[in-house]
């Protein structure tokens, strides 16, 4: 009879451990999702030079989070722009209060690899100029001029 009572008491601790692992896995999934969204948001911020409504909608729709600037709100082309994406999480057992999971990233305004239609333009310009050695490009957002760095 004593071993049955010991087994029942040990199940209480076992359930708490499973809930703890569930919290840890949930936090990791949220962090990974925020990291993935930050890459796309960083690309969009680098193109536009600021956090636009499209970037806010992307972060809200994809991760259910919010985005805010951590530094200068109106940076110049070539300057560093830092932003933070945050999401609240209510843990089951780790903490009584709501946890805020945040990720902070930096991008250089106007410095990104163009994709899509712009990539064809860059390839044509490289064939004319003859610059095949550089993978990174500085794309001026206002005049569509490509100058390899």
């Amino acid at each position: 009879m004593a071993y049955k009572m010991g087994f029942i008491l040990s199940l209480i601790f076992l359930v708490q451990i499973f809930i703890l692992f569930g919290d840890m896995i949930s936090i990791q999934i949220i962090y990974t999702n925020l990291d993935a969204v930050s890459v796309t948001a960083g690309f969009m911020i680098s193109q536009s030079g600021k956090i636009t409504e499209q970037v806010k909608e992307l972060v809200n729709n994809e991760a259910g989070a919010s985005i805010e600037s951590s530094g200068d709100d109106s940076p110049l082309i070539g300057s560093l722009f830092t932003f933070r994406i945050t999401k609240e999480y209510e843990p089951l057992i780790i903490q009584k209060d709501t946890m805020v999971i945040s990720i902070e990233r930096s991008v250089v305004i106007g410095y990104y690899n163009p994709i899509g239609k712009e990539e064809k333009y860059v390839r044509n310009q490289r064939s004319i100029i003859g610059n095949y050695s550089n993978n990174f490009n500085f794309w001026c957002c206002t005049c569509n001029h490509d100058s390899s760095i």
Side-chain angles (χ1 to χ4, degrees):
M1 187 63 147
Y3 70 90
K4 289 182 183 179
M5 186 64 100
F7 178 72
I8 292 172
L9 289 175
S10 68
L11 283 179
I12 294 172
F13 296 117
L14 190 64
V15 168
Q16 289 178 352
I17 289 174
F18 281 135
I19 293 173
L20 176 69
F21 285 141
D23 269 348
M24 291 172 57
I25 289 171
S26 295
I27 291 169
Q28 182 62 37
I29 289 170
I30 291 170
Y31 184 82
T32 304
N33 195 16
L34 291 179
D35 188 37
V37 169
S38 73
V39 172
T40 306
F43 181 78
M44 292 172 72
I45 291 169
S46 179
Q47 283 181 330
S48 64
K50 61 181 178 179
I51 297 175
T52 61
E53 288 301 318
Q54 292 176 341
V55 175
K56 290 179 182 178
E57 287 178 15
L58 171 85
V59 171
N60 191 16
N61 292 340
E62 296 294 324
S66 61
I67 186 169
E68 61 186 16
S69 172
S70 297
D72 188 15
D73 286 338
S74 58
L76 300 173
I77 292 178
S79 62
L80 195 65
F81 183 82
T82 306
F83 62 95
R84 179 180 294 126
I85 300 176
T86 59
K87 181 174 182 171
E88 292 183 352
Y89 172 68
E90 295 185 22
L92 300 173
I93 200 169
I94 291 179
Q95 188 176 351
K96 290 181 180 180
D97 300 330
T98 302
M99 296 175 68
V100 176
I101 301 170
S102 67
I103 191 166
E104 188 167 321
R105 296 289 182 258
S106 299
V107 294
V108 177
I109 300 299
Y111 187 72
Y112 59 92
N113 283 332
I115 57 174
K117 295 178 184 176
E118 293 140 357
E119 185 175 356
K120 294 177 186 175
Y121 174 79
V122 172
R123 286 182 187 167
N124 291 338
Q125 291 299 318
R126 282 189 187 159
S127 63
I128 293 169
I129 298 171
N131 182 9
Y132 295 100
S133 62
N134 200 349
N135 291 331
F136 296 101
N137 299 305
F138 175 76
W139 188 272
C140 182
C141 302
T142 57
C143 62
N144 292 336
H145 179 262
D146 174 46
S147 59
S148 298
I149 295 177

